[in-house]
Amino acid sequence: MQELKSVYNKEELLNNAVELLKNLIEIPSFSKDEFNTSVEIEKFFMKHQVPTKRFKNNIWAVNKHFDVFKPSVLLNTHHDTVKPNKAYTLDPFVPVEKDGKLYGLGSNDAGASLVSMAQVFLHFYNKEDLQYNLVIALTAEEEISGFDGIEALFPQLPNIELAIVGEPTQMNLAIAEKGLLVIDGEMKGTPSHAAHPNDDNSIVKCMQDLQHILNFKFPKVSEYLGDVKITLSGIHAGVQHNVVPESCSFTLDVRVTDEYSNKEAFEIIQSQMKSTLTARSFRLNSSKIEMEHPFVQAGLEIGRTTYGSPTSSDQAIIPCTSVKIGPGDSRRSHTADEFIYISEIEEGIDIYIRILEKVL
């Protein structure tokens, strides 16, 4: 077993990252079934003489000179993936390196962030006299916002002052992120034979209710995230052409900004609708970090940009200040023949280190 180096050069870090990502791609790691990738992550850190801890399928570690009296910065991303879609032309579990790209399921979301963060952790692991401890947590169930991922692990971690969440952002800083509120609704009416008049048709009433809420504008607009976005993502009513159904059900996907909590957004929507509404959960709230935060300022100093992210991540359930940044492009996430550029991994390692050197 090799001895942990005090300093890794850029080439070593990149080679480590690519090798680890190839190993992870070869292992199916669907949400709730991440044990084998968690073992592979443990093996990586064991090889580099870094002790790790496990909670379910979550693997975490602290820097060598961890000081209980110091606050901590957390590096966090996930090792679960969605299932490959049917449009794949390549084997999703065979890593293919071609034309500067590495293909494979989870390579972009969020394998590149994971392997980059692992190298950054090695880079800082042996350093003494840091202002903050450095903690890494590579966690499960992000793709389903599960209860056994970072949410379950967080109470076991030391005092975390800032969480850096690895997701594909092209290494720019997502300083705000929309929350997710899923609402199931139902409009009741009077069932009848389709041949007879019916002024209480549940489908017609539901259409009117939905048209109103889809045109509704929330009064407060976020500086970074814009408007709250309501999308009708499902509707169901009726089983026979000649029967007016007693009810019409539907689902709304609501992307909530930092101007509202999910409960506040739900109450406003309910006040605007006649349908009976039920929220599946209020857990996944919007998040925001101030522009003046030292991490954001450090990123700006080296030429990174800031933006508000419309997609949700584990930020929604991390109970401290957080920022989302990682290699890759979110538009490639969950697509067929998913890939990451090798140069994006190299850039990710470099930018993480350059920002953290200003903060830690």
Side-chain angles (χ1 to χ4, degrees):
M1 190 177 294
Q2 70 182 61
E3 182 181 354
L4 181 68
K5 297 181 180 182
S6 58
V7 178
Y8 288 77
N9 65 46
K10 292 182 178 181
E11 183 178 0
E12 289 174 315
L13 291 175
L14 179 59
N15 289 339
N16 284 343
V18 173
E19 179 184 6
L20 176 59
L21 183 52
K22 288 179 177 179
N23 292 342
L24 292 173
I25 288 170
E26 291 178 342
I27 305 170
S29 185
F30 307 135
S31 303
K32 289 188 175 294
D33 190 23
E34 309 98 339
F35 177 75
N36 289 333
T37 45
S38 72
V39 171
E40 186 64 30
I41 292 166
E42 285 177 317
K43 286 168 56 179
F44 171 82
F45 284 116
M46 186 182 301
K47 176 182 176 182
H48 293 281
Q49 294 285 284
V50 175
T52 59
K53 300 179 182 181
R54 165 185 289 275
F55 180 72
K56 299 188 176 183
N57 288 330
N58 307 296
I59 306 301
W60 64 286
V62 300
N63 57 304
K64 184 175 182 180
H65 300 287
F66 179 86
D67 184 343
V68 294
F69 297 105
K70 292 180 180 179
S72 299
V73 171
L74 172 67
L75 301 173
N76 169 244
T77 189
H78 62 98
H79 57 99
D80 63 318
T81 72
V82 296
K83 293 185 178 180
N85 69 52
K86 295 180 180 179
Y88 259 85
T89 64
L90 301 172
D91 187 327
F93 304 112
V94 175
V96 175
E97 191 173 344
K98 181 181 179 182
D99 299 328
K101 303 174 183 177
L102 178 57
Y103 291 88
L105 182 64
S107 55
N108 180 77
D109 181 18
S113 292
L114 187 153
V115 299
S116 297
M117 284 183 162
Q119 310 319 309
V120 172
F121 185 77
L122 290 186
H123 174 81
F124 287 102
Y125 180 76
N126 263 335
K127 292 185 181 295
E128 300 184 53
D129 300 322
L130 297 175
Q131 294 185 73
Y132 294 85
N133 297 309
L134 189 62
V135 181
I136 188 167
L138 306 175
T139 52
E141 297 192 9
E142 188 275 345
E143 295 290 2
I144 59 170
S145 300
F147 290 92
D148 286 335
I150 187 62
E151 186 174 35
L153 176 64
F154 205 90
Q156 301 188 34
L157 299 178
N159 176 30
I160 304 296
E161 188 168 293
L162 171 69
I164 302 165
V165 178
E167 291 284 343
T169 71
Q170 298 179 306
M171 290 309 294
N172 290 311
L173 294 93
I175 59 172
E177 177 185 274
K178 282 188 174 180
L180 172 61
L181 174 63
V182 180
I183 299 174
D184 294 312
E186 183 181 38
M187 174 65 79
K188 291 284 191 178
T190 302
S192 69
H193 194 295
H196 300 294
N198 185 341
D199 294 330
D200 194 38
N201 186 315
S202 63
I203 299 175
V204 174
K205 291 167 62 182
C206 189
M207 289 169 58
Q208 294 169 343
D209 211 22
L210 289 170
Q211 193 63 53
H212 172 70
I213 199 61
L214 294 176
N215 288 329
F216 175 76
K217 294 291 185 183
F218 278 72
K220 292 188 286 187
V221 178
S222 167
E223 179 181 0
Y224 300 108
L225 297 170
D227 292 311
V228 173
K229 185 177 185 295
I230 303 175
T231 301
L232 175 65
S233 56
I235 189 165
H236 177 75
V239 292
Q240 293 180 226
H241 75 89
N242 59 352
V243 177
V244 175
E246 68 173 6
S247 69
C248 181
S249 60
F250 57 91
T251 299
L252 298 175
D253 178 297
V254 186
R255 303 293 167 149
V256 184
T257 72
D258 56 296
E259 293 290 342
Y260 300 93
S261 70
N262 282 357
K263 286 187 177 180
E264 289 171 334
F266 178 82
E267 289 170 358
I268 292 171
I269 293 170
Q270 180 67 89
S271 73
Q272 295 294 317
M273 299 187 72
K274 298 176 181 177
S275 301
T276 300
L277 306 182
T278 304
R280 294 185 185 178
S281 170
F282 293 112
R283 292 169 62 226
L284 307 178
N285 285 284
S286 177
S287 61
K288 178 183 175 182
I289 187 172
E290 299 300 328
M291 282 288 292
E292 294 74 25
H293 193 282
F295 186 91
V296 177
Q297 289 299 308
L300 293 173
E301 286 174 14
I302 65 168
R304 309 321 296 168
T305 61
T306 61
Y307 72 103
S309 173
T311 58
S312 61
S313 72
D314 271 344
Q315 272 190 285
I317 49 179
I318 291 177
C320 71
T321 301
S322 62
V323 60
K324 184 165 67 177
I325 177 172
D329 188 332
S330 66
R331 291 170 293 185
R332 290 186 224 134
S333 300
H334 307 177
T335 61
D337 298 338
E338 180 182 352
F339 69 88
I340 188 75
Y341 287 99
I342 301 297
S343 61
E344 289 177 316
I345 299 175
E346 184 175 21
E347 179 188 53
I349 297 169
D350 179 62
I351 290 174
Y352 278 140
I353 290 174
R354 289 169 65 194
I355 295 177
L356 285 171
E357 282 177 341
K358 295 175 177 290
V359 174
L360 296 177

